[in-house]
Amino acid sequence: MSFDDFEELLLDKPDNERWELIGGRVIRGMVGARWEHHIIAQNLMVALRSHIKATGRPCRVFQETFFLKRRELDLAVLPDVMVRCGPMEPASASVPDPMVVIEVLSPGTEPRDRYDKWDGYRQIPSLQHYVLVHRDRILVEIKTRQGPEWTTTVVDDPAATFALAALDFRMPLAAVYEDVLPG
């Protein structure tokens, strides 16, 4: 399906469903996830937002219901957490150019997040970090753009910290999983 056809289809989407377009394929799912997923996403969003405000960066943090859309990629997705820097157009309902995208993985979403979405995300020139956070165990994978290539760092020690260099941001894994998993 084309991006434009998907935009038209969204007009008929039931409120209790979450639809995404990934590489021209429509993914229909129900709204809602396990509470652990939401707490992890909230922990990340709050930490990122606090850091951005404290450092005075011209960035915004979005969570779960705000679209990342790229017409040329036939991509319209709702990342769990997304950071976009720069001015925003009034009344925007999506962004095309995030700097950071974070997905919280569950067994049902992991293949789509790890492969299908990644195929689109890595083609976005503004994207500097793609972070995969496992919901059911302490494990964070950070993909970082290094010129034309991407490197991957895996952090699984609850006492360790992961970093997003593009934002000069660091967060202990224990804080990512606070109130969800024992550290």
Side-chain angles (χ1 to χ4, degrees):
M1 171 175 286
S2 75
F3 183 88
D4 292 330
D5 290 340
F6 180 74
E7 290 282 283
E8 188 174 319
L9 183 66
L10 280 179
L11 298 173
D12 296 325
K13 181 187 78 59
D15 289 341
N16 67 336
E17 293 184 12
R18 179 179 165 151
W19 294 2
E20 295 181 305
L21 180 69
I22 303 171
R25 188 170 50 115
V26 176
I27 307 297
R28 294 180 175 147
M30 299 303 290
V31 171
R34 285 182 29 185
W35 69 269
E36 295 93 340
H37 175 109
H38 292 289
I39 298 301
I40 290 168
Q42 287 173 8
N43 290 344
L44 288 156
M45 186 191 74
V46 168
L48 282 161
R49 188 168 190 275
S50 295
H51 173 75
I52 286 167
K53 285 182 79 76
T55 58
R57 294 180 185 276
C59 304
R60 287 185 168 66
V61 182
F62 300 96
Q63 185 180 353
E64 296 182 302
T65 59
F66 201 79
F67 270 105
L68 182 172
K69 293 183 178 181
R70 297 291 296 218
R71 174 176 269 106
E72 75 280 7
L73 298 175
D74 286 328
L75 184 69
V77 293
L78 297 158
D80 292 318
V81 179
M82 174 171 53
V83 177
R84 190 222 182 244
C85 298
M88 294 283 296
E89 290 292 322
S92 294
S94 68
V95 297
D97 54 354
M99 179 183 283
V100 176
V101 170
I102 301 172
E103 297 285 6
V104 179
L105 302 179
S106 68
T109 65
E110 184 171 357
R112 186 168 48 250
D113 291 337
R114 182 177 298 285
Y115 302 109
D116 300 339
K117 287 184 179 181
W118 173 235
D119 283 344
Y121 290 161
R122 66 180 170 201
Q123 296 178 62
I124 299 171
S126 62
L127 190 67
Q128 298 300 305
H129 301 287
Y130 180 44
V131 183
L132 299 168
V133 180
H134 292 253
R135 182 193 68 198
D136 299 327
R137 61 186 169 129
I138 296 176
L139 179 65
V140 175
E141 301 170 51
I142 307 100
K143 295 181 182 295
T144 300
R145 186 184 299 271
Q146 301 285 334
E149 303 297 319
W150 289 85
T151 61
T152 301
T153 304
V154 176
V155 185
D156 62 359
D157 179 353
T161 298
F162 83 92
L164 303 176
L167 293 172
D168 194 26
F169 173 80
R170 296 188 174 305
M171 186 173 185
L173 260 59
V176 172
Y177 292 96
E178 185 177 357
D179 298 327
V180 175
L181 295 174

